[in-house]
Amino acid sequence: MDPHCSTSLYSTSKATPLCGFRTNRSTEEAILDLLDKINSAKNSNQHALMISLDIKGAFDHLQYTSIKNSLDNLKYHSNTLETFIDILSNRKVAINTSQGPATWNQQQGCPQGSCTGLAFWNLVADEVHLRGICR
């Protein structure tokens, strides 16, 4: 991936610092941060509350239009971003059946474990958070 594009994709988060899928922000670091906050609350006789969110099928349901809109909102032009937008356009799924090939348009989904999947998910999640949809 283009180094400038990669930096742009992974460092655009204006929302609350998220852990996971980001340089120097691993899941282990998130757990250590959480434990520090819990211990700090305990030491000052305060309460600690944690809300954990796991979005079922998050990668399967990521809409291509949402990804493309988030890429457009970066206001950063590069051939790599143009390639990403092109990759997400006019995609089709094709399988062979006993009646012959079947095809349909694909408008959502992102391969879990792919490099771009993580970047795309973070971009869309940042958009949702910044627009206050989660508030």
Side-chain angles (χ1 to χ4, degrees), residues 42-130:
K42 277 181 167 180
N43 292 337
S44 59
N45 279 341
Q46 295 181 343
H47 297 282
L49 172 70
M50 180 185 99
I51 299 172
S52 178
L53 176 66
D54 181 16
I55 301 172
K56 184 177 180 179
F59 286 91
D60 297 335
H61 297 97
L62 192 57
Q63 299 289 316
Y64 290 169
T65 53
S66 297
I67 299 168
K68 288 191 268 188
N69 290 339
S70 296
L71 289 170
D72 286 341
N73 290 339
L74 286 177
K75 305 293 186 225
Y76 174 81
H77 178 75
S78 79
N79 291 336
T80 307
L81 284 181
E82 291 297 321
T83 301
F84 287 155
I85 291 170
D86 189 51
I87 287 170
L88 297 170
S89 302
N90 302 316
R91 294 186 63 95
K92 298 210 180 279
V93 176
I95 61 170
N96 288 321
T97 69
S98 57
Q99 288 82 28
T103 62
W104 61 92
N105 292 330
Q106 183 178 3
Q107 298 176 357
Q108 69 184 38
C110 209
Q112 192 167 357
S114 69
C115 295
T116 55
L118 303 175
F120 291 161
W121 176 250
N122 281 333
L123 281 171
V124 173
D126 284 348
E127 281 288 315
V128 168
H129 189 206
L130 289 173

Side-chain angles (χ1 to χ4, degrees), residues 9-13 18-26 122 126:
L9 284 174
Y10 285 102
S11 64
T12 56
S13 178
L18 301 173
C19 294
F21 317 131
R22 298 191 192 264
T23 305
N24 300 321
R25 296 298 298 163
S26 67
N122 281 333
D126 284 348

